[in-house]
Amino acid sequence: MIRERILATQNYQKSYDIKKRQPFTFVVGDQVFLEVSPWKGLIKFGKCRKLSPRFIGSFKVLQRFGYRAYKLELPAELFLGDVPLSELRIDENKRLIEEPEAIFDRKTEKLRCKMVELLLVQWKHMPGTNLTWETESHMRSRYPHRFADA
């Protein structure tokens, strides 16, 4: 009797799991959300991954290419605009290698018990606003060639 109840419970849990794991299929014309990863670096959503969006959209499905591949109607602002592909540098993990173009401003802020130097950096090939405040120590460690003369 115990074995029958255990087997019944296992079957119930298995059926519940199968219901939750049903694959999504979309047809042409559906509106879908696109899952984005802030780690990829292809789209700049900000540095705080906790508050970064996990999904963007909704986008129209234009074409289906097999089981899980779809062509979506994406807006132009998701891409890098008129930047030629020959100018972009991408690493082995398919991430865009960000490069600073210029430093516009510098300020010092007090952070707890220490003073932190911040730089207003303009980035190459970054969509939208391309000015961000970065710590000088981070910039010196990541881009030592920019600070070689200083």
Side-chain angles (χ1 to χ4, degrees):
M1 191 167 108
I2 293 173
R3 285 187 182 161
E4 289 176 4
R5 288 187 178 180
I6 288 175
L7 187 61
T9 304
Q10 286 176 342
N11 288 337
Y12 173 75
Q13 290 175 344
K14 184 177 179 181
S15 68
Y16 180 73
D17 185 50
I18 289 173
K19 284 181 190 175
K20 289 189 77 161
R21 293 180 187 256
Q22 293 276 331
F24 290 111
T25 55
F26 304 106
V27 295
V28 175
D30 282 352
Q31 294 287 326
V32 298
F33 286 96
L34 180 63
E35 184 175 6
V36 294
S37 172
W39 296 105
K40 295 284 188 225
L42 293 176
I43 306 171
K44 182 91 173 176
F45 287 108
K47 300 227 179 210
C48 181
R49 68 175 195 233
K50 185 175 183 179
L51 299 176
S52 294
R54 291 188 56 210
F55 298 95
I56 57 172
S58 68
F59 304 111
K60 184 178 178 182
V61 175
L62 297 178
Q63 190 176 0
R64 183 175 177 182
F65 299 104
Y67 179 64
R68 296 292 285 241
Y70 299 93
K71 182 178 182 180
L72 302 178
E73 184 178 54
L74 300 175
E77 57 264 12
L78 280 182
F79 302 101
L80 297 173
D82 299 329
V83 178
L85 291 177
S86 60
E87 290 184 19
L88 299 178
R89 293 182 39 217
I90 298 176
D91 66 5
E92 65 277 353
N93 295 328
K94 305 277 192 269
R95 283 186 250 158
L96 180 66
I97 299 174
E98 296 177 320
E99 297 179 25
E101 190 170 341
I103 297 171
F104 283 107
D105 197 8
R106 175 184 302 256
K107 69 179 179 180
T108 305
E109 286 196 3
K110 185 174 182 176
L111 185 64
R112 293 189 182 144
C113 297
K114 62 180 180 178
M115 302 300 280
V116 178
E117 292 287 329
L118 295 174
L119 303 173
L120 185 61
V121 181
Q122 180 182 15
W123 298 95
K124 291 182 183 177
H125 316 306
M126 196 168 131
T129 176
N130 57 358
L131 295 172
T132 59
W133 287 100
E134 306 288 337
T135 61
E136 185 175 358
S137 59
H138 171 73
M139 292 297 291
R140 283 187 183 274
S141 65
R142 189 137 184 225
Y143 306 101
H145 60 279
R146 301 283 296 176
F147 297 94
D149 55 355

